[in-house]
């Protein structure tokens, strides 16, 4: 599996300054002051450079939501019981969750992948069944996964990117569901940013001060126990991460290898991005940070990645909800690029003749 | 006309805390941690409180773009020639401008109103012909308009809100087109915020340092000449404002009187909002600041109004482009409110039983 992953990493190529410049030249010919559409122009240029086409279309959008459980919830780190993970998966499949609603508005498909939910789903359900384990182990006592499990989950992410692109997806977004996963994300944030655990740990779904201090202590205990190192991203993922975080990292790598932009959601997705970018730094060229979540570790990781979020709507739901809103802005940029009239076409005077 | 305006102002009623609380109670029953959709929840609650309905729909959206010219361009304050105003109106009518593209994506109608373009349009054009004058006069030498002209333009705005609502509009957005109008907006920003002209004046469509210093000097000359006072908003509008800014102020007042939310665009729209809110402070309950533009005076006016912009995408185009993106977020909030499953419906465990 290490070799399979190495093949994916080798496929990821940077976007070229030549394509970015070519896109900006068209943007500058459109009937608006140069640069006046700000970040929409940046998104359009990035999309053109990723696709390497003169006038690329952006039609099919897909958000892939990876679900998995976390053994560390046994330590009382979450405000919600573990059952909520599988209950929410069923809610996704019925179309009643936040991600379903926002994806309908954005015209994006929602795919739900079971990578490690602690529940046996009906095999007939319209769910991508890829269970690697019934959740991670309790990181306060043992490593979350074996290295093989982490790699397996990562490669499922790569597979989902490939399938999406085979089915015509022009842009991807990554989402997550897993009670306890802000604990895993905060542990990875500590490993990859070198910041103190307390600085990158937030309230998750809504815990009080006492529970927060306990959450920080549990993460510190896990880090002391397993010594995850940023130079071995797969090892760190296996030690203190999550199966859904591995899936997100794989989806990111797969999207980059296949030249599709990937919209990052919040804190959990950023932890997946840290793993992916440590494995292949050029992956950054394909990442778009949709929003800045309320979780303090999110902004710290985005800063480490050098990504500037498009929005700050004080959200902290996960599921890919912020990422799907970001897909709407990416589409806005691409539509501007494709559909606006040029100064010449519209007979409008440009200031520089 | 003063009396007609007074009638409109008298119609504007605040939204009630009871409706906001009722909306929040439903939001708290949906399958997500309480408050985790941040500003989308705030938008949903505001919409419910504005409409005073249990489950209000948001279907028809309309952006009204007011166009007018500015006599002050004779002083060389803009990077583009005045002809661009009428050329861009034709571009709007053909669907090739930024606002057309973004409105198509958002599913919003675009209405274009000529309040004072220095050009005779073909009467057959699908344009709302309400020309009050062939542009304002040069504020460096005389008042921009008479008080009657300002009132006339304001009442056209009110009329367009009424027409939109009669035709079923659930939400409105205000846009502008007018070469030279950042000069008028900066003059009004100085009047209404009390900040130095230099602090609220920006680069508009893109002028250099020398032109910027000249623009500030011209605005200061106009202010010294006409002494506009914030306690007389219509007088200030007439002295140094613009016909399209008056139209925007009227649209805002009309929307508030008819209980429809109004999405504010950038710098020019904020100047219109300052006029509207000075005339009827409770209008604020109906205003949503869509984005923060690059123009420095925009954020200063939003701060004065106590409005927090939804996005910061480094935009500075006007036309209603930012407002239409904001309509998309408002719709997202309303969809969340209407379409998400409750904990009870989805069989998901709530943390507080």
């Amino acid at each position: 599996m290490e070799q399979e992953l190495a093949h994916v990493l080798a496929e990821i190529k940077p976007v070229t300054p030549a394509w970015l410049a070519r896109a900006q030249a068209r943007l500058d010919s459109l009937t608006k002051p140069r640069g006046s559409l700000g970040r929409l122009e940046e998104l359009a240029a990035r999309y053109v450079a990723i696709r390497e086409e003169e006038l690329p279309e952006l039609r099919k959008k897909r958000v892939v939501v990876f679900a998995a459980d976390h053994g560390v919830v046994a330590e009382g780190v979450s405000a919600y019981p573990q059952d909520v993970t599988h209950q929410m998966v069923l809610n996704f499949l019925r179309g009643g969750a936040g991600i379903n609603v926002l994806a309908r508005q954005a015209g994006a498909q929602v795919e739900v992948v079971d990578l490690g939910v602690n529940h046996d789903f009906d095999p007939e359900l319209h769910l991508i069944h890829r269970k690697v384990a019934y959740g991670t182990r309790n990181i306060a006592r043992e490593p979350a996964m074996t290295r093989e499990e982490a790699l397996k989950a990562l490669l499922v992410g790569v597979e989902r990117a490939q399938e999406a692109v085979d089915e015509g997806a022009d842009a991807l977004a990554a989402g997550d569901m897993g009670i306890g996963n802000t604990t895993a994300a905060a542990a990875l944030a500590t490993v990859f940013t070198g910041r103190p655990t307390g600085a990158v740990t937030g309230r998750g779904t809504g815990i009080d001060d006492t529970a927060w201090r306990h959450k920080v202590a549990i993460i510190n205990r896990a880090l002391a126990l397993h010594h995850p190192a940023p130079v071995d991203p797969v090892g760190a993922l296996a030690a203190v991460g999550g199966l859904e975080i591995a899936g997100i990292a794989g989806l990111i790598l797969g999207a980059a290898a296949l030249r599709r932009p990937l919209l990052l959601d919040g804190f959990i997705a950023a932890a997946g991005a840290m793993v992916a970018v440590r494995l292949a730094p050029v992956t950054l060229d394909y990442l778009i940070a949709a929003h800045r979540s309320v979780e303090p570790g999110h902004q710290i990781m985005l800063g480490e990645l050098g990504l500037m979020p498009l929005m700050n709507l004080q959200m902290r739901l996960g599921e890919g909800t912020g990422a799907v809103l970001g897909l709407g802005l990416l589409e806005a940029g691409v539509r501007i690029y494709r559909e606006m009239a040029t100064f010449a076409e519209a007979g409008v005077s440009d200031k520089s003749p």
Side-chain angles (χ1 to χ4, degrees), chain A:
Chain A
M1 286 190 292
E2 299 270 8
Q3 209 172 353
E4 209 175 320
L5 180 60
H7 279 303
V8 176
L9 302 183
E11 289 289 307
I12 304 171
K13 304 285 185 293
V15 306
T16 69
W19 271 102
L20 287 169
R22 198 161 155 180
Q24 195 59 53
R26 174 168 169 86
L27 287 163
D28 289 347
S29 76
L30 303 176
T31 45
K32 57 173 183 53
R34 280 170 186 55
S36 61
L37 282 174
R39 302 206 64 192
L40 296 187
E41 298 193 27
E42 174 196 322
L43 290 170
R46 179 145 302 270
Y47 188 69
V48 171
I50 286 174
R51 301 302 299 262
E52 297 195 338
E53 292 173 42
E54 197 70 51
L55 276 178
E57 291 197 86
L58 197 175
R59 278 180 302 194
K60 275 206 177 174
K61 292 152 278 183
R62 181 175 291 181
V63 52
V64 183
V65 186
F66 296 97
D69 273 307
H70 292 262
V72 72
V73 297
E75 304 290 339
V77 291
S78 176
Y80 283 82
Q82 187 173 70
D83 273 349
V84 168
T85 305
H86 92 253
Q87 292 165 349
M88 284 300 296
V89 166
L90 298 175
N91 196 19
F92 296 151
L93 298 177
R94 280 190 299 256
I99 185 60
N100 303 104
V101 174
L102 298 180
R104 279 198 289 276
Q105 184 185 354
Q109 304 167 316
V110 178
E111 174 177 279
V112 187
V113 183
D114 172 16
L115 269 174
V117 181
N118 188 18
H119 178 81
D120 284 309
F121 291 105
D122 180 345
E124 301 291 299
L125 282 173
H126 190 66
L127 173 67
I128 308 295
H129 300 274
R130 295 290 186 278
K131 202 188 289 293
V132 173
Y134 287 87
T136 52
R137 294 169 200 93
N138 180 353
I139 58 173
R141 293 161 183 271
E142 49 188 326
M145 304 168 251
T146 64
R147 193 174 181 91
E148 287 62 41
E149 287 169 330
L151 281 167
K152 208 167 159 186
L154 251 163
L155 290 171
V156 170
V158 173
E159 170 218 312
R160 299 326 299 161
Q162 181 70 61
E163 177 98 355
V165 171
D166 287 348
E167 290 172 17
D170 294 306
L172 291 171
D176 68 283
M177 180 68 224
I179 296 300
N181 66 10
T182 61
T183 299
L188 290 172
T190 305
V191 174
F192 290 119
T193 70
R195 296 287 296 272
T197 308
V200 297
T201 303
R203 304 295 169 133
T205 48
I207 52 174
D208 64 17
D209 283 0
T210 310
W212 178 82
R213 278 190 298 270
H214 178 60
K215 182 174 172 180
V216 171
I218 290 291
I219 295 168
N220 282 331
R221 192 194 304 170
L223 295 173
L225 198 59
H226 312 304
H227 299 294
V231 290
D232 177 15
V234 175
L237 188 58
V240 296
L243 290 155
E244 79 281 49
I245 297 173
I248 290 170
L251 189 81
I252 291 169
L253 293 169
L258 296 160
R259 300 195 79 92
R260 293 295 182 279
L262 188 131
L263 273 291
L264 276 181
D265 195 40
F267 188 42
I268 313 303
M274 292 297 312
V275 172
V277 170
R278 289 279 176 158
L279 286 169
V282 73
T283 304
L284 268 176
D285 283 5
Y286 298 83
L287 290 179
I288 298 166
H291 78 123
R292 171 180 175 164
S293 99
V294 173
E295 281 284 328
H298 186 218
Q299 183 58 25
I300 290 170
M301 283 194 283
L302 292 182
E304 185 83 12
L305 292 165
L307 295 173
M308 190 159 91
L310 292 168
M311 292 174 283
N312 179 358
L313 295 169
Q314 307 288 313
M315 287 165 56
R316 53 181 171 85
L317 177 56
E319 302 178 4
T321 46
V324 157
L325 292 176
L327 274 176
L329 293 179
L330 173 63
E331 183 179 340
V334 175
R335 280 175 177 255
I336 286 292
Y337 186 83
R338 289 178 52 90
E339 299 176 22
M340 264 186 79
T342 64
F343 283 103
E345 285 163 2
V348 174
S349 312
D350 192 356
K351 72 172 163 176
S352 43

